[in-house]
CSV table of all heavy atoms in Angstrom, one decimal:
chain,number,residue,atom,x,y,z
L,16,GLY,N,103.3,80.9,100.1
L,16,GLY,CA,102.1,81.3,100.9
L,16,GLY,C,101.1,82.2,100.2
L,16,GLY,O,100.7,82.0,99.0
L,17,ILE,N,100.6,83.2,100.9
L,17,ILE,CA,99.6,84.1,100.4
L,17,ILE,C,100.1,84.9,99.1
L,17,ILE,O,99.3,85.1,98.2
L,17,ILE,CB,99.2,85.1,101.5
L,17,ILE,CG1,98.5,84.3,102.7
L,17,ILE,CG2,98.2,86.1,101.0
L,17,ILE,CD1,98.3,85.1,104.0
L,18,GLY,N,101.3,85.2,99.1
L,18,GLY,CA,101.9,86.0,97.9
L,18,GLY,C,101.8,85.1,96.7
L,18,GLY,O,101.4,85.6,95.6
L,19,ALA,N,102.3,83.9,96.8
L,19,ALA,CA,102.3,83.0,95.6
L,19,ALA,C,100.8,82.8,95.2
L,19,ALA,O,100.5,82.7,94.0
L,19,ALA,CB,102.9,81.7,95.9
L,20,CYS,N,99.9,82.7,96.1
L,20,CYS,CA,98.5,82.5,95.8
L,20,CYS,C,97.9,83.7,95.1
L,20,CYS,O,97.2,83.6,94.1
L,20,CYS,CB,97.8,82.2,97.1
L,20,CYS,SG,96.2,81.5,96.9
L,21,PHE,N,98.3,84.9,95.5
L,21,PHE,CA,97.9,86.1,94.8
L,21,PHE,C,98.4,86.1,93.4
L,21,PHE,O,97.7,86.5,92.5
L,21,PHE,CB,98.5,87.4,95.5
L,21,PHE,CG,97.4,88.1,96.4
L,21,PHE,CD1,97.6,88.2,97.7
L,21,PHE,CD2,96.3,88.7,95.8
L,21,PHE,CE1,96.6,88.8,98.5
L,21,PHE,CE2,95.4,89.4,96.6
L,21,PHE,CZ,95.5,89.4,97.9
L,22,ALA,N,99.6,85.6,93.2
L,22,ALA,CA,100.2,85.6,91.8
L,22,ALA,C,99.4,84.6,90.9
L,22,ALA,O,99.0,85.0,89.8
L,22,ALA,CB,101.7,85.1,91.9
L,23,ARG,N,99.0,83.5,91.5
L,23,ARG,CA,98.2,82.5,90.7
L,23,ARG,C,96.8,83.1,90.4
L,23,ARG,O,96.3,83.0,89.3
L,23,ARG,CB,98.1,81.2,91.4
L,23,ARG,CG,99.4,80.4,91.4
L,23,ARG,CD,99.2,78.9,91.8
L,23,ARG,NE,100.4,78.2,91.6
L,23,ARG,CZ,101.4,78.1,92.6
L,23,ARG,NH1,101.2,78.6,93.7
L,23,ARG,NH2,102.5,77.4,92.3
L,24,PHE,N,96.2,83.7,91.4
L,24,PHE,CA,94.9,84.3,91.3
L,24,PHE,C,94.8,85.4,90.2
L,24,PHE,O,94.0,85.4,89.4
L,24,PHE,CB,94.4,84.8,92.6
L,24,PHE,CG,93.1,85.4,92.7
L,24,PHE,CD1,91.9,84.6,92.8
L,24,PHE,CD2,92.9,86.7,92.6
L,24,PHE,CE1,90.7,85.1,92.8
L,24,PHE,CE2,91.6,87.3,92.6
L,24,PHE,CZ,90.5,86.5,92.7
L,25,LEU,N,95.8,86.3,90.3
L,25,LEU,CA,95.8,87.5,89.4
L,25,LEU,C,96.2,87.0,88.0
L,25,LEU,O,95.6,87.6,87.0
L,25,LEU,CB,96.7,88.6,89.9
L,25,LEU,CG,96.2,89.2,91.2
L,25,LEU,CD1,97.2,90.3,91.7
L,25,LEU,CD2,94.8,89.9,91.1
L,88,ILE,N,100.5,94.5,95.8
L,88,ILE,CA,100.2,93.6,96.9
L,88,ILE,C,101.4,93.6,97.8
L,88,ILE,O,102.4,92.9,97.6
L,88,ILE,CB,99.9,92.2,96.4
L,88,ILE,CG1,98.9,92.2,95.2
L,88,ILE,CG2,99.4,91.3,97.6
L,88,ILE,CD1,97.5,92.5,95.5
L,90,ASN,N,102.9,92.3,100.5
L,90,ASN,CA,102.6,91.0,101.2
L,90,ASN,C,103.7,90.5,102.1
L,90,ASN,O,103.5,89.8,103.1
L,90,ASN,CB,102.1,90.0,100.2
L,90,ASN,CG,102.1,88.6,100.7
L,90,ASN,OD1,101.2,88.2,101.5
L,90,ASN,ND2,103.1,87.8,100.4
L,138,ILE,N,96.8,96.4,98.1
L,138,ILE,CA,96.4,95.6,99.3
L,138,ILE,C,97.6,95.5,100.2
L,138,ILE,O,98.7,95.1,99.7
L,138,ILE,CB,95.9,94.2,98.8
L,138,ILE,CG1,94.6,94.3,98.0
L,138,ILE,CG2,95.7,93.3,100.1
L,138,ILE,CD1,94.1,93.0,97.6
L,183,LEU,N,94.3,94.0,104.4
L,183,LEU,CA,93.8,92.6,104.5
L,183,LEU,C,94.3,92.0,105.7
L,183,LEU,O,95.5,92.0,106.0
L,183,LEU,CB,94.3,91.9,103.2
L,183,LEU,CG,93.9,90.4,103.1
L,183,LEU,CD1,92.4,90.2,103.2
L,183,LEU,CD2,94.4,89.9,101.7
L,185,PRO,N,94.1,88.7,107.6
L,185,PRO,CA,93.8,87.3,107.8
L,185,PRO,C,94.1,86.8,109.2
L,185,PRO,O,94.8,87.4,109.9
L,185,PRO,CB,94.9,86.6,106.8
L,185,PRO,CG,95.6,87.6,106.1
L,185,PRO,CD,95.4,88.9,106.9
L,188,THR,N,96.4,81.2,108.5
L,188,THR,CA,96.3,80.8,107.1
L,188,THR,C,97.4,79.8,106.8
L,188,THR,O,98.6,80.1,107.1
L,188,THR,CB,96.5,82.1,106.2
L,188,THR,OG1,95.5,83.1,106.7
L,188,THR,CG2,96.2,81.8,104.8
L,211,GLN,N,92.4,79.1,107.6
L,211,GLN,CA,91.9,79.3,106.3
L,211,GLN,C,92.9,78.9,105.3
L,211,GLN,O,94.1,78.9,105.5
L,211,GLN,CB,91.6,80.8,106.1
L,211,GLN,CG,90.2,81.2,106.4
L,211,GLN,CD,89.8,82.6,105.8
L,211,GLN,OE1,90.5,83.5,106.1
L,211,GLN,NE2,88.8,82.6,105.0
L,212,GLU,N,92.5,78.6,104.1
L,212,GLU,CA,93.4,78.3,102.9
L,212,GLU,C,93.7,79.7,102.3
L,212,GLU,O,92.9,80.6,102.3
L,212,GLU,CB,92.7,77.5,101.9
L,212,GLU,CG,92.5,76.0,102.3
L,212,GLU,CD,93.7,75.3,102.9
L,212,GLU,OE1,94.8,75.6,102.3
L,212,GLU,OE2,93.6,74.6,103.8
L,213,PRO,N,94.9,79.9,101.8
L,213,PRO,CA,95.3,81.2,101.3
L,213,PRO,C,94.4,81.6,100.1
L,213,PRO,O,94.2,82.8,99.9
L,213,PRO,CB,96.8,81.0,100.8
L,213,PRO,CG,97.0,79.5,100.8
L,213,PRO,CD,96.1,78.9,101.8
L,214,GLU,N,93.9,80.6,99.3
L,214,GLU,CA,93.0,80.9,98.2
L,214,GLU,C,91.8,81.7,98.6
L,214,GLU,O,91.4,82.7,98.0
L,214,GLU,CB,92.6,79.6,97.5
L,214,GLU,CG,93.6,78.9,96.7
L,214,GLU,CD,94.6,78.1,97.5
L,214,GLU,OE1,94.3,78.0,98.7
L,214,GLU,OE2,95.6,77.6,97.0
L,215,ALA,N,91.2,81.3,99.8
L,215,ALA,CA,90.0,82.0,100.3
L,215,ALA,C,90.4,83.5,100.7
L,215,ALA,O,89.6,84.4,100.5
L,215,ALA,CB,89.4,81.2,101.5
L,216,VAL,N,91.6,83.6,101.4
L,216,VAL,CA,92.0,84.9,101.8
L,216,VAL,C,92.2,85.9,100.6
L,216,VAL,O,91.8,87.0,100.6
L,216,VAL,CB,93.3,84.8,102.6
L,216,VAL,CG1,94.0,86.1,102.9
L,216,VAL,CG2,93.1,84.0,103.9
L,217,VAL,N,92.9,85.3,99.6
L,217,VAL,CA,93.2,86.1,98.4
L,217,VAL,C,91.9,86.6,97.7
L,217,VAL,O,91.7,87.7,97.3
L,217,VAL,CB,94.1,85.3,97.5
L,217,VAL,CG1,94.2,85.9,96.1
L,217,VAL,CG2,95.5,85.2,98.1
L,218,LYS,N,91.0,85.6,97.5
L,218,LYS,CA,89.8,85.9,96.8
L,218,LYS,C,89.0,87.0,97.5
L,218,LYS,O,88.5,88.0,96.9
L,218,LYS,CB,88.9,84.6,96.7
L,218,LYS,CG,87.8,84.7,95.7
L,218,LYS,CD,87.1,83.3,95.6
L,218,LYS,CE,85.9,83.5,94.8
L,218,LYS,NZ,85.0,82.4,94.9
L,219,GLU,N,88.8,86.9,98.8
L,219,GLU,CA,88.1,87.9,99.6
L,219,GLU,C,88.8,89.2,99.6
L,219,GLU,O,88.1,90.3,99.5
L,219,GLU,CB,87.8,87.3,101.0
L,219,GLU,CG,86.6,88.0,101.6
L,219,GLU,CD,86.1,87.3,102.9
L,219,GLU,OE1,86.3,86.1,103.1
L,219,GLU,OE2,85.6,88.1,103.7
L,220,GLY,N,90.1,89.2,99.7
L,220,GLY,CA,90.9,90.4,99.7
L,220,GLY,C,90.7,91.2,98.4
L,220,GLY,O,90.6,92.4,98.4
L,221,TRP,N,90.8,90.5,97.3
L,221,TRP,CA,90.7,91.1,96.0
L,221,TRP,C,89.3,91.7,95.7
L,221,TRP,O,89.1,92.8,95.2
L,221,TRP,CB,91.1,90.1,94.9
L,221,TRP,CG,91.1,90.7,93.5
L,221,TRP,CD1,90.3,90.3,92.4
L,221,TRP,CD2,92.0,91.7,93.0
L,221,TRP,NE1,90.6,91.1,91.3
L,221,TRP,CE2,91.7,91.9,91.7
L,221,TRP,CE3,93.0,92.4,93.6
L,221,TRP,CZ2,92.3,92.9,90.9
L,221,TRP,CZ3,93.6,93.4,92.9
L,221,TRP,CH2,93.3,93.6,91.5
L,222,HIS,N,88.3,90.9,96.1
L,222,HIS,CA,86.9,91.4,96.0
L,222,HIS,C,86.8,92.7,96.8
L,222,HIS,O,86.2,93.7,96.4
L,222,HIS,CB,86.0,90.3,96.6
L,222,HIS,CG,84.5,90.7,96.5
L,222,HIS,ND1,83.9,90.7,95.3
L,222,HIS,CD2,83.6,91.0,97.4
L,222,HIS,CE1,82.6,91.1,95.5
L,222,HIS,NE2,82.5,91.2,96.8
L,223,ALA,N,87.3,92.7,98.1
L,223,ALA,CA,87.2,93.9,99.0
L,223,ALA,C,87.8,95.1,98.3
L,223,ALA,O,87.2,96.2,98.4
L,223,ALA,CB,87.8,93.6,100.3
L,231,CYS,N,89.5,94.4,105.2
L,231,CYS,CA,88.9,93.1,104.9
L,231,CYS,C,89.4,92.1,105.9
L,231,CYS,O,90.6,91.8,106.0
L,231,CYS,CB,89.3,92.7,103.5
L,231,CYS,SG,88.8,91.0,103.1
L,233,PRO,N,89.1,88.3,106.3
L,233,PRO,CA,88.5,87.2,105.6
L,233,PRO,C,88.0,86.1,106.4
L,233,PRO,O,88.6,85.8,107.4
L,233,PRO,CB,89.7,86.8,104.7
L,233,PRO,CG,90.9,87.1,105.5
L,233,PRO,CD,90.5,88.4,106.3
Side-chain angles (χ1 to χ4, degrees):
I17 295 170
C20 195
F21 259 114
R23 290 195 170 89
F24 179 85
L25 294 176
I88 312 289
N90 164 80
I138 294 181
L183 178 54
T188 307
Q211 270 196 301
E212 294 306 322
E214 288 79 6
V216 171
V217 164
K218 192 173 170 195
E219 205 169 327
W221 184 243
H222 181 71
C231 173

